[in-house]
Amino acid sequence: MTLPVDFVFTQNNLQDFVDCPRRFQLKYILKTAWPAPVSEPIEEHNRLIELGTQFHMMVHRFYLGIPADVITLHVTDEDLLAWWNAFMNNPPTNMPPGRQPEISLSMPFAGFRLAAKIDLLAVEKGKRAVIYDWKTTHQQPRPYFLKERIQSLVYPMLVIKTGGALNEYKPFNPAQVSMVYWYPAFPDSPVTLNFDPDWISSTEAKLTRLVNQIAEMRMEIYPLTVDETKCKFCQYRSLCERGIYAGNLDEEDEGDEEGSLLDINFDDIQGIAF
Ligand code: SF4
């Protein structure tokens, strides 16, 4: 089963492959629709996803220059207002002056394209760039696991290599770039990642190996993950005969140290009108 030549790699689909090759195959190659709750209780899961989406949209508007009182005019949800107030009272500090929310970056990579939509990129031209990602989960920030996420490789690499419009498409040195994960539920505990000069070559090699591995997959059914905890929160679990019932949100919050189902990014909410 070969990948289409115009396949675009993103942090989402690469992370899915790392988590479970079969999930990658079902979701992005076969495009298998398999409606099933991802976690229980369903209503609470959906509510938290909606809250995360709303928060991202509010912060996006804020960095477009829309006044805060206009942004919150029709917001009544107390949890969402608490996140917003946390953001307004304790926003990310030392942010470079050039700011571009919801910025798309892409480049050719290992015979395909690699792309990302970043929540906010802030640039001091020719000097530094900071990538911001709003993490609307209820998990305590865990720097070690964030550092290992594919997102923490793909976003900085695209910024370093392409420079982006705010830097007139001039590449950055890795040491000029940092990435901040900012949590409205934990506004005092943002996680900042920095990159040393060797980071780009080792990251490029790692991602190239991963893309090549995916491109060379030829089996009819890609391997199912051996970590069955991933199946509890996967929409395909009944298709894969890995259980009928969705995992519990509380369990997910405690158990999945590498990421969260409630983690929203603009890749997931494309198409929403702003
Ligand atoms: S249910 Fe498990 S094995 Fe099947 S696609 Fe999902 S994570 Fe992979």
Side-chain angles (χ1 to χ4, degrees):
M1 192 168 288
T2 52
L3 281 176
V5 286
D6 59 353
F7 191 84
V8 178
F9 284 98
T10 66
Q11 66 97 10
N12 280 336
N13 57 34
L14 288 168
Q15 188 66 58
D16 271 328
F17 184 86
V18 170
D19 290 346
C20 175
R22 179 61 171 159
R23 187 193 292 167
F24 174 93
Q25 182 188 29
L26 289 167
K27 208 161 157 183
Y28 303 103
I29 301 180
L30 301 174
K31 301 187 192 309
T32 305
W34 197 263
V38 174
S39 69
E40 298 280 4
I42 300 168
E43 296 77 16
E44 182 61 2
H45 172 84
N46 291 343
R47 190 183 83 86
L48 293 172
I49 291 285
E50 177 60 23
L51 276 191
T53 305
Q54 291 294 332
F55 180 79
H56 276 73
M57 288 164 49
M58 290 168 76
V59 175
H60 173 75
R61 288 177 184 137
F62 179 78
Y63 285 111
L64 287 178
I66 297 172
D69 54 346
V70 175
I71 295 170
T72 52
L73 200 57
H74 301 294
V75 177
T76 53
D77 187 288
E78 285 183 10
D79 291 336
L80 184 55
L81 284 172
W83 279 359
W84 177 254
N85 290 334
F87 172 73
M88 293 305 288
N89 294 332
N90 203 350
T93 54
N94 194 23
M95 187 182 283
R99 294 163 191 177
Q100 206 169 358
E102 200 206 334
I103 175 180
S104 293
L105 296 176
S106 72
M107 67 179 193
F109 190 80
F112 295 90
R113 276 201 90 72
L114 183 66
K117 192 171 275 192
I118 292 172
D119 288 346
L120 177 70
L121 180 63
V123 170
E124 190 173 352
K125 204 158 72 176
K127 293 193 173 154
R128 64 185 182 120
V130 185
I131 300 158
Y132 293 91
D133 190 77
W134 319 122
K135 282 265 173 272
T136 51
T137 73
H138 286 88
Q139 293 172 314
Q140 284 279 352
R142 282 175 283 209
Y144 173 76
F145 291 103
L146 283 171
K147 199 162 178 266
E148 296 299 308
R149 296 293 288 173
I150 296 290
Q151 183 180 20
S152 301
L153 308 180
V154 169
Y155 284 18
M157 194 176 82
L158 281 164
V159 170
I160 289 165
K161 300 277 284 187
T162 71
L166 289 174
N167 205 46
E168 297 173 347
Y169 300 104
K170 292 183 181 139
F172 286 99
N173 293 321
Q176 293 176 306
V177 174
S178 57
M179 181 162 182
V180 175
Y181 288 102
W182 193 91
Y183 295 70
F186 306 95
D188 297 326
S189 311
V191 176
T192 301
L193 306 180
N194 294 299
F195 310 98
D196 61 38
D198 296 336
W199 182 90
I200 195 74
S201 54
S202 61
T203 300
E204 214 166 347
K206 184 174 180 177
L207 291 175
T208 301
R209 275 196 304 276
L210 184 56
V211 168
N212 288 342
Q213 185 190 350
I214 297 171
E216 285 161 13
M217 299 289 279
R218 289 291 178 268
M219 59 275 276
E220 197 175 324
I221 296 179
Y222 289 12
L224 281 63
T225 178
V226 291
D227 178 3
E228 295 199 19
T229 58
K230 301 237 180 283
C231 306
K232 283 195 210 170
F233 304 99
C234 177
Q235 69 192 92
Y236 299 117
R237 68 190 163 275
S238 59
L239 177 66
C240 296
E241 300 184 345
R242 288 280 178 94
I244 298 169
Y245 301 108
N248 190 282
L249 267 178
D250 295 339
E251 213 181 330
E252 191 271 344
D253 260 352
E254 289 163 10
D256 187 353
E257 293 177 312
E258 296 160 22
S260 170
L261 301 168
L262 304 175
D263 186 10
I264 311 290
N265 62 49
F266 268 108
D267 288 345
D268 300 321
I269 55 178
Q270 282 180 51
I272 293 172
F274 288 92

